[in-house]
Amino acid sequence: MTARGKVKVGIIGSQFQAECHAESFRMVADEAEVVAIASPTPDHAARFAKKHGIPRVFTDYRALLAEPDIELVTITAPNYLHAQMTIDAAHAGKH
């Protein structure tokens, strides 16, 4: 937990692994809060956000990375996309 309160989390991806990550963060709700989801499929992202009470939805993960309050991201997109997403997250200063 940061001195400011809960760690703000963004999830990149909106399928099975994203469900696992969202549920995991729910287990540590005193320390972390998922505040954004990014998926290139708008319907998937919107449904996921509604199901999990996530306030922000993006169809481009780079827009999520540009959000200044998001401190940590989890990448649940297909494996072949992880390398570039990880590089972009590091350049954005996200854990």
Side-chain angles (χ1 to χ4, degrees):
M1 181 162 58
T2 67
R4 300 181 317 258
K6 296 179 185 182
V7 173
K8 305 295 186 207
V9 178
I11 297 176
I12 300 172
S14 62
Q15 295 299 308
F16 175 74
Q17 281 301 321
E19 291 286 343
C20 296
H21 287 227
E23 290 302 321
S24 295
F25 283 112
R26 188 183 320 268
M27 290 179 197
V28 292
D30 290 344
E31 295 152 2
E33 174 185 16
V34 179
V35 297
I37 180 81
S39 173
T41 309
D43 290 348
H44 290 176
R47 267 185 274 146
F48 190 92
K50 183 176 180 180
K51 178 179 179 180
H52 294 282
I54 299 170
R56 289 179 263 172
V57 177
F58 299 94
T59 55
D60 186 331
Y61 75 92
R62 290 170 293 248
L64 180 150
L65 294 176
E67 293 290 292
D69 66 319
I70 295 175
E71 302 164 280
L72 181 146
V73 296
T74 62
I75 299 172
T76 68
N79 290 343
Y80 73 92
L81 298 171
H82 285 200
Q84 187 60 56
M85 291 176 169
T86 301
I87 291 166
D88 292 342
H91 285 187
K94 308 300 182 189
H95 293 279

